[in-house]
Amino acid sequence: MEHETKKKLQVKNLRRLRKPIASAAIAVVVAGVGFYGGVSYQKHHTASNNGVGTMASAQNASGRSGFGGGFGGGGSRADRVIGQVTAVSSTSITVQTQSGSSSTLAITSSTTITDNGQSATTSDIQVGDTVFITEDSSNTSQASRIMVNPSFGGGQSSQSDAQTQSD
């Protein structure tokens, strides 16, 4: 009799575990399908970009970045401008984006400027330089940070290119 009672308790305990286990399995399947769908969507919507995996692929048509997070704040705001410098003074910078649009931002005493990771000034910025600009969060017509000739990795340095060509 005692053996039968133990067996009934075991069966009852197994039945109680079915719902949580089934729910967890369904959640894993739904998450997997969602991940696969997101990856597929991204592949099909960035495949036509020649700059896949580069800063250019993160720009929308206005030349503003679609990056979320990193680089001075984030979220999904379009508060970044990436492109080539067409004009620069001690008080403003004009950038032409890959899409061809132009954006002019004010440079203030609180604007941080770096060139290849080193502290720089407006006189270090040249027409034709590539820049990554973060707009001021309280005034989007002002530059909060300007990164001149930014390097985000992923490619060979010019020194290793020169070595490869000379070999």
Side-chain angles (χ1 to χ4, degrees):
M1 183 88 170
E2 188 178 314
H3 181 65
E4 286 180 27
T5 306
K6 276 187 173 180
K7 191 156 185 115
K8 285 182 183 179
L9 281 175
Q10 287 176 342
V11 169
K12 190 174 183 179
N13 285 338
L14 285 175
R15 286 184 182 154
R16 271 195 273 162
L17 290 175
R18 282 185 189 169
K19 282 187 180 180
I21 291 172
S23 297
I26 289 171
V28 167
V29 168
V30 167
V33 168
F35 178 78
Y36 176 76
V39 169
S40 295
Y41 177 84
Q42 184 178 4
K43 282 182 183 178
H44 288 83
H45 285 84
T46 58
S48 63
N49 255 344
N50 290 336
V52 172
T54 65
M55 289 188 321
S57 68
Q59 291 179 329
N60 61 27
S62 69
R64 295 178 186 275
S65 154
F67 289 107
F71 308 117
S76 59
R77 302 181 315 245
D79 60 352
R80 295 158 182 87
V81 178
I82 303 169
Q84 284 196 320
V85 176
T86 57
V88 63
S89 72
S90 60
T91 58
S92 70
I93 186 167
T94 303
V95 177
Q96 182 174 14
T97 65
Q98 188 178 25
S99 67
S101 66
S102 188
S103 183
T104 300
L105 296 164
I107 297 174
T108 67
S109 60
S110 61
T111 302
T112 303
I113 304 172
T114 57
D115 188 349
N116 285 316
Q118 302 297 316
S119 183
T121 65
T122 54
S123 61
D124 297 316
I125 303 172
Q126 303 296 315
V127 170
D129 281 343
T130 299
V131 291
F132 181 100
I133 302 175
T134 305
E135 296 171 350
D136 187 285
S137 59
S138 60
N139 183 349
T140 59
S141 66
Q142 291 182 356
S144 170
R145 175 189 286 175
I146 302 173
M147 294 170 62
V148 183
N149 302 314
S151 175
F152 297 108
Q156 292 182 328
S157 69
S158 56
Q159 182 179 9
S160 62
D161 286 343
Q163 287 176 346
T164 304
Q165 290 174 357
S166 66
D167 288 342

